[in-house]
mmCIF file of all heavy atoms in Angstrom:
data_model
loop_
_atom_site.group_PDB
_atom_site.id
_atom_site.type_symbol
_atom_site.label_atom_id
_atom_site.label_comp_id
_atom_site.label_asym_id
_atom_site.label_seq_id
_atom_site.Cartn_x
_atom_site.Cartn_y
_atom_site.Cartn_z
ATOM 1 N N SER I 1 -16.608 15.118 -14.069
ATOM 2 C CA SER I 1 -18.036 15.339 -13.843
ATOM 3 C C SER I 1 -18.805 14.028 -13.684
ATOM 4 O O SER I 1 -19.984 14.047 -13.333
ATOM 5 C CB SER I 1 -18.632 16.155 -14.989
ATOM 6 O OG SER I 1 -18.594 15.402 -16.193
ATOM 7 N N LEU I 2 -18.166 12.894 -13.923
ATOM 8 C CA LEU I 2 -18.835 11.601 -13.789
ATOM 9 C C LEU I 2 -19.014 11.245 -12.314
ATOM 10 O O LEU I 2 -18.160 11.567 -11.483
ATOM 11 C CB LEU I 2 -18.020 10.512 -14.488
ATOM 12 C CG LEU I 2 -17.856 10.657 -15.995
ATOM 13 C CD1 LEU I 2 -16.893 9.599 -16.524
ATOM 14 C CD2 LEU I 2 -19.195 10.550 -16.687
ATOM 15 N N PRO I 3 -20.104 10.558 -11.983
ATOM 16 C CA PRO I 3 -20.300 10.158 -10.588
ATOM 17 C C PRO I 3 -19.263 9.108 -10.187
ATOM 18 O O PRO I 3 -18.903 8.240 -10.978
ATOM 19 C CB PRO I 3 -21.715 9.561 -10.578
ATOM 20 C CG PRO I 3 -21.992 9.187 -11.994
ATOM 21 C CD PRO I 3 -21.194 10.120 -12.858
ATOM 22 N N ALA I 4 -18.788 9.225 -8.956
ATOM 23 C CA ALA I 4 -17.775 8.281 -8.484
ATOM 24 C C ALA I 4 -17.776 8.251 -6.969
ATOM 25 O O ALA I 4 -18.165 9.207 -6.320
ATOM 26 C CB ALA I 4 -16.394 8.694 -8.989
ATOM 27 N N ALA I 5 -17.342 7.154 -6.429
ATOM 28 C CA ALA I 5 -17.138 7.049 -4.991
ATOM 29 C C ALA I 5 -15.711 7.510 -4.704
ATOM 30 O O ALA I 5 -14.820 7.353 -5.532
ATOM 31 C CB ALA I 5 -17.347 5.616 -4.536
ATOM 32 N N LEU I 6 -15.501 8.071 -3.539
ATOM 33 C CA LEU I 6 -14.205 8.631 -3.193
ATOM 34 C C LEU I 6 -13.488 7.730 -2.190
ATOM 35 O O LEU I 6 -14.058 7.333 -1.169
ATOM 36 C CB LEU I 6 -14.380 10.030 -2.588
ATOM 37 C CG LEU I 6 -13.114 10.747 -2.159
ATOM 38 C CD1 LEU I 6 -12.209 11.015 -3.355
ATOM 39 C CD2 LEU I 6 -13.470 12.049 -1.470
ATOM 40 N N LEU I 7 -12.266 7.408 -2.497
ATOM 41 C CA LEU I 7 -11.399 6.655 -1.602
ATOM 42 C C LEU I 7 -10.215 7.562 -1.311
ATOM 43 O O LEU I 7 -9.453 7.896 -2.215
ATOM 44 C CB LEU I 7 -10.937 5.350 -2.264
ATOM 45 C CG LEU I 7 -10.138 4.387 -1.420
ATOM 46 C CD1 LEU I 7 -10.962 3.896 -0.238
ATOM 47 C CD2 LEU I 7 -9.689 3.211 -2.250
ATOM 48 N N SER I 8 -10.086 7.978 -0.062
ATOM 49 C CA SER I 8 -9.055 8.937 0.294
ATOM 50 C C SER I 8 -7.955 8.256 1.099
ATOM 51 O O SER I 8 -8.224 7.627 2.131
ATOM 52 C CB SER I 8 -9.683 10.076 1.114
ATOM 53 O OG SER I 8 -8.698 11.014 1.480
ATOM 54 N N LYS I 9 -6.725 8.395 0.606
ATOM 55 C CA LYS I 9 -5.587 7.783 1.280
ATOM 56 C C LYS I 9 -4.331 8.548 0.920
ATOM 57 O O LYS I 9 -4.279 9.267 -0.071
ATOM 58 C CB LYS I 9 -5.439 6.318 0.882
ATOM 59 C CG LYS I 9 -5.113 6.114 -0.591
ATOM 60 C CD LYS I 9 -5.035 4.646 -0.950
ATOM 61 C CE LYS I 9 -4.682 4.478 -2.423
ATOM 62 N NZ LYS I 9 -4.595 3.070 -2.797
ATOM 63 N N THR I 10 -3.319 8.362 1.751
ATOM 64 C CA THR I 10 -2.000 8.906 1.475
ATOM 65 C C THR I 10 -1.064 7.726 1.308
ATOM 66 O O THR I 10 -1.084 6.803 2.119
ATOM 67 C CB THR I 10 -1.516 9.797 2.642
ATOM 68 O OG1 THR I 10 -2.459 10.846 2.831
ATOM 69 C CG2 THR I 10 -0.150 10.388 2.349
ATOM 70 N N ARG I 11 -0.274 7.746 0.242
ATOM 71 C CA ARG I 11 0.665 6.650 -0.001
ATOM 72 C C ARG I 11 2.070 7.114 0.351
ATOM 73 O O ARG I 11 2.524 8.171 -0.065
ATOM 74 C CB ARG I 11 0.642 6.196 -1.452
ATOM 75 C CG ARG I 11 1.747 5.148 -1.704
ATOM 76 C CD ARG I 11 1.514 4.321 -2.897
ATOM 77 N NE ARG I 11 0.568 3.269 -2.562
ATOM 78 C CZ ARG I 11 0.487 2.128 -3.213
ATOM 79 N NH1 ARG I 11 1.305 1.880 -4.220
ATOM 80 N NH2 ARG I 11 -0.401 1.223 -2.877
ATOM 81 N N PHE I 12 2.733 6.259 1.134
ATOM 82 C CA PHE I 12 4.120 6.486 1.498
ATOM 83 C C PHE I 12 4.966 5.402 0.846
ATOM 84 O O PHE I 12 4.567 4.243 0.800
ATOM 85 C CB PHE I 12 4.299 6.424 3.023
ATOM 86 C CG PHE I 12 3.539 7.497 3.749
ATOM 87 C CD1 PHE I 12 2.269 7.242 4.243
ATOM 88 C CD2 PHE I 12 4.081 8.756 3.922
ATOM 89 C CE1 PHE I 12 1.556 8.224 4.907
ATOM 90 C CE2 PHE I 12 3.368 9.750 4.586
ATOM 91 C CZ PHE I 12 2.105 9.482 5.085
ATOM 92 N N SER I 13 6.130 5.788 0.366
ATOM 93 C CA SER I 13 7.049 4.822 -0.230
ATOM 94 C C SER I 13 8.099 4.449 0.801
ATOM 95 O O SER I 13 8.867 5.299 1.264
ATOM 96 C CB SER I 13 7.716 5.424 -1.468
ATOM 97 O OG SER I 13 8.615 4.499 -2.018
ATOM 98 N N VAL I 14 8.084 3.180 1.185
ATOM 99 C CA VAL I 14 9.046 2.622 2.125
ATOM 100 C C VAL I 14 9.548 1.333 1.472
ATOM 101 O O VAL I 14 9.092 0.253 1.807
ATOM 102 C CB VAL I 14 8.387 2.327 3.496
ATOM 103 C CG1 VAL I 14 9.422 1.887 4.516
ATOM 104 C CG2 VAL I 14 7.596 3.523 4.000
ATOM 105 N N PRO I 15 10.427 1.466 0.460
ATOM 106 C CA PRO I 15 10.821 0.313 -0.343
ATOM 107 C C PRO I 15 11.185 -0.908 0.500
ATOM 108 O O PRO I 15 11.861 -0.752 1.517
ATOM 109 C CB PRO I 15 12.029 0.820 -1.122
ATOM 110 C CG PRO I 15 11.803 2.307 -1.208
ATOM 111 C CD PRO I 15 11.152 2.675 0.094
ATOM 112 N N PRO I 16 10.707 -2.057 0.089
ATOM 113 C CA PRO I 16 9.952 -2.350 -1.121
ATOM 114 C C PRO I 16 8.446 -2.163 -0.956
ATOM 115 O O PRO I 16 7.666 -2.635 -1.770
ATOM 116 C CB PRO I 16 10.276 -3.820 -1.369
ATOM 117 C CG PRO I 16 10.365 -4.397 0.001
ATOM 118 C CD PRO I 16 11.007 -3.312 0.832
ATOM 119 N N LEU I 17 8.026 -1.453 0.090
ATOM 120 C CA LEU I 17 6.600 -1.303 0.356
ATOM 121 C C LEU I 17 6.060 0.040 -0.107
ATOM 122 O O LEU I 17 6.730 1.062 -0.018
ATOM 123 C CB LEU I 17 6.318 -1.438 1.863
ATOM 124 C CG LEU I 17 6.733 -2.733 2.526
ATOM 125 C CD1 LEU I 17 6.536 -2.636 4.032
ATOM 126 C CD2 LEU I 17 5.951 -3.898 1.962
ATOM 127 N N GLY I 18 4.813 -0.002 -0.552
ATOM 128 C CA GLY I 18 3.996 1.181 -0.704
ATOM 129 C C GLY I 18 2.984 1.090 0.426
ATOM 130 O O GLY I 18 2.276 0.086 0.536
ATOM 131 N N VAL I 19 2.953 2.076 1.296
ATOM 132 C CA VAL I 19 2.090 2.028 2.470
ATOM 133 C C VAL I 19 0.966 3.036 2.302
ATOM 134 O O VAL I 19 1.218 4.238 2.152
ATOM 135 C CB VAL I 19 2.896 2.319 3.760
ATOM 136 C CG1 VAL I 19 1.987 2.281 4.977
ATOM 137 C CG2 VAL I 19 4.051 1.340 3.904
ATOM 138 N N ASP I 20 -0.278 2.546 2.318
ATOM 139 C CA ASP I 20 -1.458 3.396 2.182
ATOM 140 C C ASP I 20 -2.091 3.618 3.543
ATOM 141 O O ASP I 20 -2.440 2.662 4.241
ATOM 142 C CB ASP I 20 -2.494 2.753 1.251
ATOM 143 C CG ASP I 20 -2.007 2.668 -0.187
ATOM 144 O OD1 ASP I 20 -1.165 3.502 -0.577
ATOM 145 O OD2 ASP I 20 -2.480 1.788 -0.916
ATOM 146 N N VAL I 21 -2.254 4.890 3.913
ATOM 147 C CA VAL I 21 -2.907 5.284 5.159
ATOM 148 C C VAL I 21 -4.229 5.938 4.755
ATOM 149 O O VAL I 21 -4.236 6.975 4.089
ATOM 150 C CB VAL I 21 -2.026 6.255 5.970
ATOM 151 C CG1 VAL I 21 -2.734 6.676 7.249
ATOM 152 C CG2 VAL I 21 -0.673 5.615 6.274
ATOM 153 N N PHE I 22 -5.328 5.307 5.147
ATOM 154 C CA PHE I 22 -6.645 5.721 4.682
ATOM 155 C C PHE I 22 -7.261 6.804 5.565
ATOM 156 O O PHE I 22 -7.007 6.873 6.767
ATOM 157 C CB PHE I 22 -7.576 4.508 4.617
ATOM 158 C CG PHE I 22 -7.207 3.560 3.509
ATOM 159 C CD1 PHE I 22 -6.205 2.620 3.682
ATOM 160 C CD2 PHE I 22 -7.851 3.620 2.284
ATOM 161 C CE1 PHE I 22 -5.849 1.762 2.658
ATOM 162 C CE2 PHE I 22 -7.500 2.766 1.251
ATOM 163 C CZ PHE I 22 -6.493 1.835 1.445
ATOM 164 N N ASP I 23 -8.098 7.620 4.934
ATOM 165 C CA ASP I 23 -8.845 8.689 5.596
ATOM 166 C C ASP I 23 -10.340 8.375 5.501
ATOM 167 O O ASP I 23 -10.731 7.345 4.956
ATOM 168 C CB ASP I 23 -8.575 10.026 4.898
ATOM 169 C CG ASP I 23 -7.118 10.444 4.949
ATOM 170 O OD1 ASP I 23 -6.499 10.315 6.017
ATOM 171 O OD2 ASP I 23 -6.611 10.900 3.915
ATOM 172 N N GLY I 24 -11.141 9.299 5.982
ATOM 173 C CA GLY I 24 -12.593 9.166 5.861
ATOM 174 C C GLY I 24 -13.121 7.977 6.631
ATOM 175 O O GLY I 24 -12.646 7.673 7.727
ATOM 176 N N HIS I 25 -14.097 7.276 6.048
ATOM 177 C CA HIS I 25 -14.734 6.157 6.746
ATOM 178 C C HIS I 25 -13.786 4.978 6.965
ATOM 179 O O HIS I 25 -14.073 4.085 7.741
ATOM 180 C CB HIS I 25 -16.001 5.707 6.008
ATOM 181 C CG HIS I 25 -15.757 5.001 4.714
ATOM 182 N ND1 HIS I 25 -15.328 5.645 3.573
ATOM 183 C CD2 HIS I 25 -15.876 3.698 4.389
ATOM 184 C CE1 HIS I 25 -15.187 4.776 2.608
ATOM 185 N NE2 HIS I 25 -15.522 3.576 3.066
ATOM 186 N N LEU I 26 -12.624 5.003 6.303
ATOM 187 C CA LEU I 26 -11.623 3.952 6.483
ATOM 188 C C LEU I 26 -10.469 4.412 7.375
ATOM 189 O O LEU I 26 -9.445 3.747 7.466
ATOM 190 C CB LEU I 26 -11.074 3.507 5.121
ATOM 191 C CG LEU I 26 -12.102 2.945 4.140
ATOM 192 C CD1 LEU I 26 -11.435 2.638 2.807
ATOM 193 C CD2 LEU I 26 -12.792 1.723 4.703
ATOM 194 N N HIS I 27 -10.669 5.547 8.050
ATOM 195 C CA HIS I 27 -9.633 6.113 8.919
ATOM 196 C C HIS I 27 -9.096 5.053 9.880
ATOM 197 O O HIS I 27 -9.863 4.328 10.510
ATOM 198 C CB HIS I 27 -10.186 7.288 9.722
ATOM 199 C CG HIS I 27 -9.218 7.832 10.715
ATOM 200 N ND1 HIS I 27 -8.174 8.642 10.356
ATOM 201 C CD2 HIS I 27 -9.109 7.646 12.039
ATOM 202 C CE1 HIS I 27 -7.477 8.935 11.422
ATOM 203 N NE2 HIS I 27 -8.020 8.350 12.473
ATOM 204 N N GLY I 28 -7.789 4.945 9.936
ATOM 205 C CA GLY I 28 -7.146 3.968 10.803
ATOM 206 C C GLY I 28 -6.665 2.725 10.068
ATOM 207 O O GLY I 28 -5.829 1.992 10.576
ATOM 208 N N LEU I 29 -7.196 2.494 8.863
ATOM 209 C CA LEU I 29 -6.756 1.351 8.076
ATOM 210 C C LEU I 29 -5.434 1.703 7.397
ATOM 211 O O LEU I 29 -5.302 2.753 6.772
ATOM 212 C CB LEU I 29 -7.797 0.984 7.017
ATOM 213 C CG LEU I 29 -7.439 -0.178 6.081
ATOM 214 C CD1 LEU I 29 -7.292 -1.479 6.870
ATOM 215 C CD2 LEU I 29 -8.494 -0.324 4.995
ATOM 216 N N VAL I 30 -4.478 0.816 7.530
ATOM 217 C CA VAL I 30 -3.174 0.983 6.881
ATOM 218 C C VAL I 30 -2.877 -0.317 6.146
ATOM 219 O O VAL I 30 -2.884 -1.392 6.745
ATOM 220 C CB VAL I 30 -2.063 1.277 7.910
ATOM 221 C CG1 VAL I 30 -0.708 1.396 7.219
ATOM 222 C CG2 VAL I 30 -2.374 2.535 8.710
ATOM 223 N N LEU I 31 -2.653 -0.212 4.841
ATOM 224 C CA LEU I 31 -2.315 -1.376 4.027
ATOM 225 C C LEU I 31 -0.946 -1.156 3.400
ATOM 226 O O LEU I 31 -0.638 -0.053 2.942
ATOM 227 C CB LEU I 31 -3.342 -1.592 2.919
ATOM 228 C CG LEU I 31 -4.761 -1.946 3.337
ATOM 229 C CD1 LEU I 31 -5.662 -2.058 2.107
ATOM 230 C CD2 LEU I 31 -4.776 -3.247 4.117
ATOM 231 N N ALA I 32 -0.156 -2.194 3.368
ATOM 232 C CA ALA I 32 1.161 -2.131 2.731
ATOM 233 C C ALA I 32 1.189 -3.129 1.591
ATOM 234 O O ALA I 32 0.710 -4.253 1.715
ATOM 235 C CB ALA I 32 2.258 -2.447 3.736
ATOM 236 N N GLU I 33 1.746 -2.700 0.495
ATOM 237 C CA GLU I 33 1.861 -3.541 -0.696
ATOM 238 C C GLU I 33 3.339 -3.632 -1.067
ATOM 239 O O GLU I 33 4.013 -2.608 -1.199
ATOM 240 C CB GLU I 33 1.070 -2.899 -1.834
ATOM 241 C CG GLU I 33 1.172 -3.599 -3.140
ATOM 242 C CD GLU I 33 0.367 -2.878 -4.231
ATOM 243 O OE1 GLU I 33 -0.401 -1.958 -3.924
ATOM 244 O OE2 GLU I 33 0.543 -3.252 -5.388
ATOM 245 N N ALA I 34 3.817 -4.846 -1.214
ATOM 246 C CA ALA I 34 5.217 -5.045 -1.579
ATOM 247 C C ALA I 34 5.320 -5.343 -3.072
ATOM 248 O O ALA I 34 4.499 -6.068 -3.620
ATOM 249 C CB ALA I 34 5.817 -6.188 -0.770
ATOM 250 N N GLU I 35 6.329 -4.768 -3.695
ATOM 251 C CA GLU I 35 6.586 -5.029 -5.108
ATOM 252 C C GLU I 35 8.044 -5.412 -5.274
ATOM 253 O O GLU I 35 8.932 -4.814 -4.676
ATOM 254 C CB GLU I 35 6.248 -3.801 -5.948
ATOM 255 C CG GLU I 35 4.767 -3.481 -5.932
ATOM 256 C CD GLU I 35 4.401 -2.381 -6.918
ATOM 257 O OE1 GLU I 35 5.234 -2.030 -7.776
ATOM 258 O OE2 GLU I 35 3.275 -1.894 -6.812
ATOM 259 N N PHE I 36 8.262 -6.413 -6.113
ATOM 260 C CA PHE I 36 9.609 -6.924 -6.318
ATOM 261 C C PHE I 36 9.870 -7.089 -7.807
ATOM 262 O O PHE I 36 8.953 -7.283 -8.593
ATOM 263 C CB PHE I 36 9.767 -8.279 -5.622
ATOM 264 C CG PHE I 36 9.419 -8.241 -4.165
ATOM 265 C CD1 PHE I 36 8.174 -8.640 -3.725
ATOM 266 C CD2 PHE I 36 10.331 -7.774 -3.235
ATOM 267 C CE1 PHE I 36 7.834 -8.595 -2.387
ATOM 268 C CE2 PHE I 36 10.006 -7.718 -1.893
ATOM 269 C CZ PHE I 36 8.754 -8.132 -1.466
ATOM 270 N N THR I 37 11.148 -7.039 -8.177
ATOM 271 C CA THR I 37 11.517 -7.217 -9.578
ATOM 272 C C THR I 37 11.911 -8.652 -9.884
ATOM 273 O O THR I 37 12.033 -9.021 -11.047
ATOM 274 C CB THR I 37 12.675 -6.272 -9.962
ATOM 275 O OG1 THR I 37 13.773 -6.506 -9.081
ATOM 276 C CG2 THR I 37 12.234 -4.818 -9.862
ATOM 277 N N ALA I 38 12.102 -9.455 -8.834
ATOM 278 C CA ALA I 38 12.509 -10.851 -9.042
ATOM 279 C C ALA I 38 11.822 -11.747 -8.011
ATOM 280 O O ALA I 38 11.551 -11.324 -6.884
ATOM 281 C CB ALA I 38 14.018 -10.979 -8.922
ATOM 282 N N ASP I 39 11.562 -12.982 -8.412
ATOM 283 C CA ASP I 39 10.905 -13.943 -7.518
ATOM 284 C C ASP I 39 11.701 -14.188 -6.248
ATOM 285 O O ASP I 39 11.121 -14.318 -5.165
ATOM 286 C CB ASP I 39 10.668 -15.269 -8.234
ATOM 287 C CG ASP I 39 9.571 -15.186 -9.283
ATOM 288 O OD1 ASP I 39 8.775 -14.219 -9.245
ATOM 289 O OD2 ASP I 39 9.507 -16.098 -10.126
ATOM 290 N N ASP I 40 13.021 -14.256 -6.351
ATOM 291 C CA ASP I 40 13.826 -14.527 -5.160
ATOM 292 C C ASP I 40 13.720 -13.400 -4.139
ATOM 293 O O ASP I 40 13.768 -13.634 -2.936
ATOM 294 C CB ASP I 40 15.283 -14.818 -5.515
ATOM 295 C CG ASP I 40 15.979 -13.668 -6.214
ATOM 296 O OD1 ASP I 40 15.320 -12.933 -6.969
ATOM 297 O OD2 ASP I 40 17.203 -13.512 -6.003
ATOM 298 N N GLU I 41 13.552 -12.159 -4.613
ATOM 299 C CA GLU I 41 13.347 -11.032 -3.696
ATOM 300 C C GLU I 41 12.041 -11.218 -2.929
ATOM 301 O O GLU I 41 11.995 -11.013 -1.714
ATOM 302 C CB GLU I 41 13.291 -9.706 -4.456
ATOM 303 C CG GLU I 41 14.592 -9.255 -5.059
ATOM 304 C CD GLU I 41 14.417 -7.985 -5.871
ATOM 305 O OE1 GLU I 41 13.316 -7.400 -5.876
ATOM 306 O OE2 GLU I 41 15.404 -7.572 -6.504
ATOM 307 N N ALA I 42 10.998 -11.608 -3.632
ATOM 308 C CA ALA I 42 9.693 -11.813 -2.998
ATOM 309 C C ALA I 42 9.751 -12.953 -1.994
ATOM 310 O O ALA I 42 9.204 -12.849 -0.894
ATOM 311 C CB ALA I 42 8.630 -12.088 -4.054
ATOM 312 N N GLN I 43 10.424 -14.033 -2.351
ATOM 313 C CA GLN I 43 10.489 -15.201 -1.474
ATOM 314 C C GLN I 43 11.318 -14.944 -0.222
ATOM 315 O O GLN I 43 11.063 -15.535 0.823
ATOM 316 C CB GLN I 43 11.036 -16.402 -2.247
ATOM 317 C CG GLN I 43 10.074 -16.863 -3.317
ATOM 318 C CD GLN I 43 10.682 -17.895 -4.254
ATOM 319 O OE1 GLN I 43 11.871 -18.191 -4.193
ATOM 320 N NE2 GLN I 43 9.858 -18.426 -5.135
ATOM 321 N N SER I 44 12.280 -14.056 -0.296
ATOM 322 C CA SER I 44 13.128 -13.783 0.865
ATOM 323 C C SER I 44 12.610 -12.610 1.709
ATOM 324 O O SER I 44 13.173 -12.321 2.764
ATOM 325 C CB SER I 44 14.564 -13.509 0.425
ATOM 326 O OG SER I 44 14.629 -12.322 -0.349
ATOM 327 N N PHE I 45 11.544 -11.972 1.254
ATOM 328 C CA PHE I 45 11.007 -10.824 1.983
ATOM 329 C C PHE I 45 10.395 -11.245 3.317
ATOM 330 O O PHE I 45 9.594 -12.179 3.382
ATOM 331 C CB PHE I 45 9.941 -10.115 1.134
ATOM 332 C CG PHE I 45 9.275 -8.969 1.837
ATOM 333 C CD1 PHE I 45 9.972 -7.810 2.118
ATOM 334 C CD2 PHE I 45 7.943 -9.054 2.217
ATOM 335 C CE1 PHE I 45 9.361 -6.740 2.761
ATOM 336 C CE2 PHE I 45 7.318 -8.001 2.851
ATOM 337 C CZ PHE I 45 8.039 -6.846 3.125
ATOM 338 N N VAL I 46 10.777 -10.557 4.365
ATOM 339 C CA VAL I 46 10.193 -10.764 5.689
ATOM 340 C C VAL I 46 9.442 -9.480 6.035
ATOM 341 O O VAL I 46 10.051 -8.410 6.157
ATOM 342 C CB VAL I 46 11.284 -11.057 6.742
ATOM 343 C CG1 VAL I 46 10.663 -11.187 8.120
ATOM 344 C CG2 VAL I 46 12.074 -12.300 6.362
ATOM 345 N N PRO I 47 8.114 -9.561 6.180
ATOM 346 C CA PRO I 47 7.348 -8.351 6.493
ATOM 347 C C PRO I 47 7.767 -7.768 7.845
ATOM 348 O O PRO I 47 8.136 -8.507 8.759
ATOM 349 C CB PRO I 47 5.897 -8.848 6.568
ATOM 350 C CG PRO I 47 5.900 -10.164 5.892
ATOM 351 C CD PRO I 47 7.274 -10.732 6.042
ATOM 352 N N PRO I 48 7.712 -6.446 7.973
ATOM 353 C CA PRO I 48 8.017 -5.826 9.262
ATOM 354 C C PRO I 48 7.045 -6.323 10.341
ATOM 355 O O PRO I 48 5.918 -6.721 10.042
ATOM 356 C CB PRO I 48 7.799 -4.332 9.001
ATOM 357 C CG PRO I 48 7.811 -4.171 7.525
ATOM 358 C CD PRO I 48 7.376 -5.477 6.941
#
């Protein structure tokens, strides 16, 4: 019941990425977030 702004997106898991596809006023925006368990994994990651 608290007032809040709405952020609508769908998250897809494409390891090591979480890919967010936005709806509403952000329609068309796609952000990918990479998560790693070790520094060497992060350093060797090549984005698509």
Side-chain angles (χ1 to χ4, degrees):
S1 66
L2 296 173
L6 179 63
L7 186 62
S8 180
K9 64 182 181 180
T10 302
R11 174 160 279 204
F12 297 94
S13 179
V14 186
L17 301 173
V19 179
D20 293 333
V21 179
F22 290 83
D23 298 316
H25 71 287
L26 300 176
H27 175 77
L29 178 63
V30 178
L31 295 177
E33 176 181 350
E35 294 188 13
F36 305 98
T37 56
D39 288 343
D40 61 327
E41 290 176 6
Q43 293 170 353
S44 65
F45 177 69
V46 177

